Amino acid sequence: QMTYVDGFLLPVPKDKIDEYQKIAHQAGAIWKEHGAIAYWETVGDDIAVDQVVHFSESAKCKADEIPVFAWIIYPSREERDRINA
């Protein structure tokens, strides 16, 4: 059986990234406590690539924001639905 993933892309103000990281850490612990296999938060840096739509553009980041891509890995779609309920 394959795992199941939820992914999120959002703009976060650069001056709030430390605050966001604390919240993300707490959220990850809660998801894993309920059965998620893994929880990851990544911050985009130096991601502009010619002729490719990058996360800053996709997240519609303003000049003072940075993209964050987070994903949660679940054992299955059924477990994902149970955990998120």
Side-chain angles (χ1 to χ4, degrees):
Q1 185 170 351
M2 297 181 70
T3 58
Y4 193 84
V5 176
D6 277 341
F8 306 92
L9 177 63
L10 61 149
V12 176
K14 292 177 184 177
D15 64 346
K16 302 284 186 191
I17 201 71
D18 290 339
E19 197 173 320
Y20 178 85
Q21 185 177 9
K22 290 176 188 173
I23 294 167
H25 182 74
Q26 292 171 340
I30 291 168
W31 260 293
K32 290 192 292 188
E33 176 182 312
H34 288 278
I37 295 170
Y39 180 90
W40 294 92
E41 294 269 351
T42 56
V43 176
D45 186 20
D46 192 26
I47 56 176
V49 178
D50 289 341
Q51 301 177 351
V52 174
V53 177
H54 49 82
F55 283 155
S56 295
E57 187 177 341
S58 295
K60 297 182 174 37
C61 289
K62 298 174 187 163
D64 64 339
E65 295 176 327
I66 192 163
V68 170
F69 179 62
W71 68 97
I72 307 161
I73 302 172
Y74 306 94
S76 66
R77 170 70 189 255
E78 294 76 23
E79 279 297 289
R80 176 252 192 193
D81 292 346
R82 182 194 65 77
I83 291 164
N84 283 328

